[in-house]
Amino acid sequence: MGLPEMLAWVPPGSPDEALVRELDPARLPAHVAIIMDGNGRWAAKRYMPRVEGHRAGITSVRDTVETCARLGLKVLTLYAFSVENWKRPATEVGTLMVLLKRYLRMELATLQKHDIRFNVIGRVDDLADDVKKELLHAAERTASNTGMLFNIALNYGGRAEIVDAARRAMASGMRPEQLTEEVFGSLLYTGGQPDPDLLIRTSGELRVSNFLLWQIAYAEIYVTETLWPDFRRQHLLEAILAFQKRERRYGGIAAPALAGR
Ligand code: FPP
């Protein structure tokens, strides 16, 4: 996995190849998190029902998962369904769940081929049994894979996650002074995973939408006007290149300034 793997995959002489060649392999983000937005608008522009946008979004999911795995990223997290999304019409919610189940069934072989470990984050217990069964099956079948970890955030809310972690801390009986930032982070759904370095949001909205609230404390945020169903490898590579041009300071001062002291 890495740039040679990417170069073997992208068509020679293509714009994607030029983007891959621009990447600095030593400064790839370890964890990329994506708010997949704009499916409804994509469908509306085509006078199609909203669910067609979700259906088309599956191709973007496939392309993104494969690109991230081939790049050798450690973690990819996709925001598929929030705790607030239950407010949508029942038919839309139902279709999203059907699409998710179908995706998992169809893509399991691809996940295996790329050594991807599949994981769900969110209040999974509240999901329907058939959905839970499919999620568990994919997680179990890929559990021993050692490549990229692929989190799907489902029935996920950042505040709910923090409340769940606080409940776990209280239930563990630990003393208040034992609860450090590090310990609290380990109690989140993403415990043990690196925090996202890069948060991508499609379709131009400048919101965080209750996604990974704790974990994105120092993430670089990249917003693209591209609607999720149009998002492809090229857009992901552009986002990573933009990330590599940023200067991350984590509340400190710029590295050149430090060097001059
Ligand atoms: C936001 O677009 C998108 C979602 C709420 C669902 C995303 C789900 C998928 C792409 C398909 C299933 C996912 C996986 C991982 C297989 P929106 O409907 O809010 O768009 P809008 O803002 O234009 O209305």
Side-chain angles (χ1 to χ4, degrees), residues 36-41 50 54 58 80 85 88 96 100 103 152 228:
M36 309 182 285
D37 196 14
N39 295 355
R41 275 162 282 173
R50 294 177 52 79
H54 299 316
I58 297 284
N85 284 154
R88 296 187 177 210
L96 273 169
L100 177 77
Y103 168 83
I152 282 195
W228 178 251

Side-chain angles (χ1 to χ4, degrees), residues 31-34 36 58 60-66 68-69 73-80 100 103-104 107-108 110-112 114-121 135 138-139 142 145-153 193 228:
H31 184 168
V32 171
I34 308 185
M36 309 182 285
I58 297 284
S60 313
V61 171
R62 275 202 207 104
D63 207 45
T64 301
V65 170
E66 185 163 355
C68 289
L73 304 193
K74 288 196 168 49
V75 188
L76 168 70
T77 302
L78 298 183
Y79 201 5
L100 177 77
Y103 168 83
L104 290 174
E107 289 304 297
L108 193 55
T110 311
L111 298 182
Q112 300 289 32
H114 294 287
D115 200 21
I116 296 168
R117 188 154 55 95
F118 174 77
N119 182 44
V120 198
I121 58 170
L135 292 166
T142 61
N145 290 348
T146 55
M148 184 180 81
L149 174 64
F150 169 28
N151 293 315
I152 282 195
Q193 303 177 19
W228 178 251

Side-chain angles (χ1 to χ4, degrees), residues 172-212:
S172 76
M174 69 174 70
R175 293 190 306 279
E177 63 275 18
Q178 289 177 299
L179 189 59
T180 60
E181 286 188 13
E182 205 181 2
V183 169
F184 194 79
S186 74
L187 297 172
L188 296 168
Y189 306 146
T190 54
Q193 303 177 19
D195 286 340
D197 307 288
L198 172 61
L199 171 68
I200 300 173
R201 180 165 190 146
T202 59
S203 90
E205 308 286 353
L206 302 176
R207 282 191 293 274
V208 167
S209 296
N210 202 12
F211 189 41
L212 301 175

